[in-house]
């Protein structure tokens, strides 16, 4: 790999574009968190706010792991790296609970799904520390977000807003292809950076759907 480290007043910043795009994602998540004011105290909006908050902090911590460590090993690096994964797990769990309080509310299987969310989170938190492999996060995202996407595509009550959320999640899965194919434009704009741009688009579309849904007569 080509070393892309830059120096600011003799302080090294490793993988600067990856770090920058991580922090842009964090900014967007915090922006979406504060823009979802939820004056109507809608439960699902509370959990979507939690989703954006956890995801934003996760990418902030993840950006630090890229910026501060040239070699991705050791206790200090893993403290950031594992914290990022744990926060991502809570983001997925928050999205699941938001879905439970919307499109799953009138389904007979809603309580089964809710219990499964708790079990998934516990298993995820345990396996993160046991395996210390990012594939654990990949599997958790797939298991958690694919059903959410399907449920929102199937929602007949608010089809337009739900499809926005579903399409936003669908866009996020393009990152798996980018990572798998190692698609890169340049050493300073590699597959990580392209994936981050896709995540920015994904989160923006999800936010648009959530904000429109929350404005529909105060319905959750």
């Amino acid at each position: 790999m080509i070393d892309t480290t830059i120096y600011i007043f003799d302080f090294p910043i490793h993988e600067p574009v990856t770090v920058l795009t991580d922090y842009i994602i964090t900014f967007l998540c915090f922006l979406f968190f504060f823009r979802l004011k939820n004056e109507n105290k809608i439960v699902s909006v509370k959990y979507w706010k939690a989703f954006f908050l956890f995801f934003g902090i996760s990418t902030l911590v993840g950006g630090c792991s890229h910026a501060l460590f040239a070699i991705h090993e050791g206790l200090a690096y893993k403290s950031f790296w594992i914290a990022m994964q744990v926060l991502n797990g809570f983001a997925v769990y928050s999205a699941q609970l938001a879905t439970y309080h919307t499109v799953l509310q009138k389904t007979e299987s809603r309580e089964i799904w809710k219990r499964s969310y708790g079990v998934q989170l516990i298993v995820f938190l345990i396996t993160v520390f046991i395996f210390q492999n990012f594939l654990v996060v990949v599997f958790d995202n797939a298991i958690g977000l694919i059903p959410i996407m399907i449920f929102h595509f199937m929602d007949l009550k608010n089809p337009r807003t739900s499809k926005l959320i579903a399409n936003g999640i669908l866009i996020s899965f393009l990152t798996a292809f980018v990572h798998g194919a190692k698609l890169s434009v340049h050493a300073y704009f590699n597959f990580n950076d392209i994936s981050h741009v896709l995540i920015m688009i994904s989160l923006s579309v999800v936010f648009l759907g959530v904000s429109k849904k929350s404005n529909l007569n105060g319905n959750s």
Side-chain angles (χ1 to χ4, degrees):
M1 292 182 63
I2 299 174
D3 184 11
T4 58
T5 302
I6 63 173
Y7 292 84
I8 301 177
F9 301 111
D10 295 326
F11 186 83
I13 303 293
H14 309 291
E15 302 179 72
V17 179
T18 301
V19 173
L20 176 62
T21 50
D22 259 329
Y23 291 167
I24 293 174
I25 292 172
T26 296
F27 170 78
L28 288 175
C29 284
F30 288 173
L31 177 65
F32 298 155
F33 172 81
F34 286 111
R35 288 191 63 181
L36 289 172
K37 297 184 184 299
N38 196 23
E39 291 90 346
N40 296 315
K41 304 300 181 183
I42 302 171
V43 177
S44 64
V45 175
K46 179 185 73 172
Y47 285 116
W48 279 118
K49 283 169 66 73
F51 164 78
F52 287 117
L53 181 63
F54 280 123
F55 201 95
I57 299 174
S58 174
T59 54
L60 176 64
V61 175
C64 291
S65 71
H66 284 287
L68 302 177
F69 303 95
I71 300 175
H72 294 175
E73 296 177 357
L75 179 61
Y77 167 74
K78 286 193 174 181
S79 296
F80 283 95
W81 187 61
I82 292 178
M84 175 269 293
Q85 296 180 57
V86 169
L87 288 162
N88 186 276
F90 278 104
V92 172
Y93 181 62
S94 298
Q96 290 173 320
L97 290 181
T99 302
Y100 168 79
H101 284 284
T102 50
V103 296
L104 286 178
Q105 268 301 282
K106 293 185 179 181
T107 62
E108 295 181 358
S109 59
R110 63 186 181 279
E111 293 305 321
I112 295 175
W113 280 104
K114 186 177 182 181
R115 286 194 291 271
S116 74
Y117 297 154
V119 171
Q120 180 183 337
L121 179 62
I122 293 170
V123 171
F124 169 74
L125 294 175
I126 294 172
T127 53
V128 159
F129 288 94
I130 292 176
F131 295 106
Q132 297 188 21
N133 189 312
F134 194 71
L135 283 176
V136 174
V137 176
V138 174
F139 287 133
D140 184 66
N141 276 268
I143 294 170
L145 296 180
I146 289 176
I148 292 175
M149 178 184 69
I150 294 172
F151 289 143
H152 281 86
F153 271 131
M154 294 173 61
D155 182 24
L156 299 178
K157 182 179 179 182
N158 297 305
R160 290 186 178 181
T161 56
S162 289
K163 283 184 178 179
L164 280 171
I165 295 172
N167 283 319
I169 295 172
L170 182 61
I171 292 169
S172 72
F173 292 136
L174 294 175
T175 60
F177 171 74
V178 172
H179 270 276
K182 293 293 188 289
L183 294 179
S184 299
V185 176
H186 189 272
Y188 280 92
F189 198 75
N190 60 27
F191 56 90
N192 282 325
D193 312 322
I194 296 172
S195 295
H196 287 171
V197 173
L198 290 171
I199 290 172
M200 293 175 204
I201 298 171
S202 167
L203 291 171
S204 298
V205 176
V206 170
F207 166 74
L208 186 60
V210 173
S211 61
K212 286 182 178 295
K213 186 183 287 286
S214 67
N215 290 329
L216 291 176
N217 301 319
N219 291 325
S220 61

